[in-house]
Amino acid sequence: MRGGEIWIAAGFGLMHGLAFAALLGRLDLSRGSLVTELLGFNLGIELAQLLVVALIMPSLLALSRNQLYPAVRAALANGGIVLAAAWLAERTTLITVNPLDGVAAALVAHPFIMAVTLACLAVATWAVPGLRNPSPATATQSSC
């Protein structure tokens, strides 16, 4: 969704913020405790996000240089949408049992499997010369 990244990020942040605010409201924390809990939670989330980016970004950069990248990007995005929709349905009580809890638990319990899988996919697709996007210099030279 070209150009929609800002709206997606804003919506994602808003939904997470609302869910987090609802959770904190139910905990009945004092003001001092609330600040400490909020700071600790946010620092933990940011560190976890940095770790995920550090693990996955090299593989995504390698994948972005071949012809399979659009399909991989769409598959990962659609998987995220399906998981998010199931979580939303569960939290809004549209469903009582989330059938995808096992998938989500496995991803959380084994984050390195996702990173290794993406790295293997990047290496495998890079090993097939026909899948590589030509570099700008090569494309210019071959067209002359």
Side-chain angles (χ1 to χ4, degrees):
M1 189 169 147
R2 296 206 184 273
E5 291 88 356
I6 292 173
W7 292 107
I8 291 170
F12 189 75
L14 179 64
M15 294 308 260
H16 273 88
L18 290 171
F20 186 57
L23 175 70
L24 284 176
R26 282 186 254 148
L27 293 178
D28 196 32
L29 299 170
S30 68
R31 187 154 184 86
S33 168
L34 179 64
V35 171
T36 305
E37 295 293 325
L38 186 59
L39 183 62
F41 177 80
N42 282 331
L43 287 175
I45 290 294
E46 293 304 324
L47 289 173
Q49 288 175 347
L50 287 173
L51 178 63
V52 168
V53 168
L55 288 173
I56 293 178
M57 202 60 174
S59 297
L60 290 178
L61 287 173
L63 278 171
S64 71
R65 293 183 175 92
N66 70 56
Q67 296 173 7
L68 289 180
Y69 181 67
V72 170
R73 182 177 174 189
L76 291 173
N78 287 324
I81 289 169
V82 168
L83 285 172
W87 286 328
L88 179 65
E90 180 182 30
R91 283 168 178 76
T92 56
T93 65
L94 292 175
I95 59 174
T96 54
V97 177
N98 184 347
L100 299 176
D101 271 344
V103 174
L107 289 173
V108 170
H110 306 289
F112 292 103
I113 291 175
M114 181 70 150
V116 169
T117 302
L118 278 174
C120 290
L121 183 61
V123 169
T125 57
W126 189 253
V128 179
L131 292 176
R132 290 187 217 152
N133 287 332
S135 67
T138 307
T140 305
Q141 291 171 356
S142 65
S143 65
C144 293

